[in-house]
Amino acid sequence: MKKLILILCLCSSLWAGSFDYVINEGYYSDPILLENQSLQITGGEIARVNTRNNSLTEMTGGQIDSINFNPGNNAFNMSDGYVKNLIINGSCLATLEGGTIDKIELINMTNVSITFICDIDSVYKEYNEYGILTNVSGNWLDGSEFNTQLSFFNDESLIHFVPEPASMLLLGLGGMLLKKRKLTRL
């Protein structure tokens, strides 16, 4: 329920098009701290971003050396750009649909969901000798490749691979219509 409310809040802020901070060029060597705030990154280079307590980060370009999601229902949406290290310390909803992420590190797995919107037929998972997921690779929907190292992923159920959301919506609606049609025949 918390995730649904978070998604609705985040979508409404995205539709409004308003962010507390927008970075589109330049270099930021000092850490950026977000607390109950939103950040849109369309370009530039940032050394470090720290978030907590219902913060939203949307990345459509640029580069981040390290982004840390601390507890408090944070969200990260990425459609392009480069992230060297994504660190999740609990309570984070990450939606990834493009760009490059070298490494995702999980410190706390509480209320974490990482969704790759990609060509699910191209996804390849690598495991270490203990059966722990250590790397995922595949193709984004635009055909570009991703290859992300994973650290401390003891619970594989935190990562989801889904095709384009519109296709899933159409499949779901089609299924509902078929079920409705079947019920009306009875």
Side-chain angles (χ1 to χ4, degrees), residues 6-27:
L6 177 64
I7 290 171
L8 292 174
C9 291
L10 295 175
C11 288
S12 65
S13 70
L14 289 175
W15 287 328
S18 62
F19 290 88
D20 295 313
Y21 302 101
V22 176
I23 295 176
N24 53 26
E25 63 182 27
Y27 176 74

Side-chain angles (χ1 to χ4, degrees), residues 27-81:
Y27 176 74
Y28 297 83
S29 60
D30 293 333
I32 296 173
L33 175 64
L34 299 176
E35 187 164 354
N36 290 315
Q37 296 168 318
S38 60
L39 170 65
Q40 182 182 41
I41 304 164
T42 60
E45 186 176 344
I46 305 164
R48 187 179 187 101
V49 176
N50 292 315
T51 70
R52 65 174 168 245
N53 298 334
N54 301 311
S55 293
L56 165 66
T57 304
E58 180 179 286
M59 187 170 187
T60 59
Q63 176 177 330
I64 301 174
D65 288 337
S66 178
I67 183 164
N68 302 304
F69 291 95
N70 296 300
N73 295 327
N74 297 292
F76 178 58
N77 301 322
M78 181 175 178
S79 59
D80 201 3

Side-chain angles (χ1 to χ4, degrees), residues 57 59 61-69 76-88 92-106 113-117 134-138 140 144-151 153 159 161:
T57 304
M59 187 170 187
Q63 176 177 330
I64 301 174
D65 288 337
S66 178
I67 183 164
N68 302 304
F69 291 95
F76 178 58
N77 301 322
M78 181 175 178
S79 59
D80 201 3
Y82 170 74
V83 174
K84 185 175 182 179
N85 197 15
L86 172 64
I87 302 168
I88 300 175
C92 181
L93 176 65
T95 304
L96 314 171
E97 55 185 306
T100 301
I101 300 176
D102 284 347
K103 182 178 181 182
I104 301 175
E105 184 177 340
L106 269 183
S113 177
I114 302 168
T115 302
F116 286 79
I117 299 175
T134 58
N135 199 76
V136 293
S137 59
W140 298 117
S144 61
E145 296 179 358
F146 66 87
N147 186 5
T148 303
Q149 179 186 353
L150 306 173
S151 291
F153 274 79
I159 298 180
F161 299 94

